[in-house]
Amino acid sequence: GLYKLKIALDCANGATYNVAPKVFRELGAEVFELATQPDGININDNCGSTAPQGLVSYLFKKLMNEMGRPSNP
């Protein structure tokens, strides 16, 4: 299984927005979902493989929160 794995999943507001997070959770991963609100026209709109900066930004913020911010002596 995928136990102890943390997965950030950018579903790009596409067809798998509903099932993909469930599959990874059922396999044991902790899933953080992005772009899971399709409206029929927003597929890959500032998300997904055409705009990876959203995922990168999310991961950076998540990592900084988990690690804590360095302090100046």
Side-chain angles (χ1 to χ4, degrees):
L2 301 177
Y3 295 100
K4 296 186 181 180
L5 285 181
K6 295 180 180 181
I7 298 175
L9 188 60
D10 185 341
C11 294
N13 295 315
T16 64
Y17 83 96
N18 196 19
V19 71
K22 290 177 184 177
V23 168
F24 284 101
R25 281 192 184 100
E26 286 183 22
L27 291 171
E30 182 178 354
V31 179
F32 304 96
E33 301 175 30
L34 290 93
T36 57
Q37 298 179 350
D39 63 8
I41 58 174
N42 66 345
I43 297 171
N44 287 321
D45 187 16
N46 293 316
C47 59
S49 63
T50 60
Q53 65 273 16
L55 179 60
V56 170
S57 176
Y58 175 83
L59 290 173
F60 179 77
K61 289 176 188 174
K62 187 83 174 147
L63 179 62
M64 291 304 292
N65 286 335
E66 287 187 9
M67 289 178 52
R69 299 187 188 270
S71 59
N72 292 330

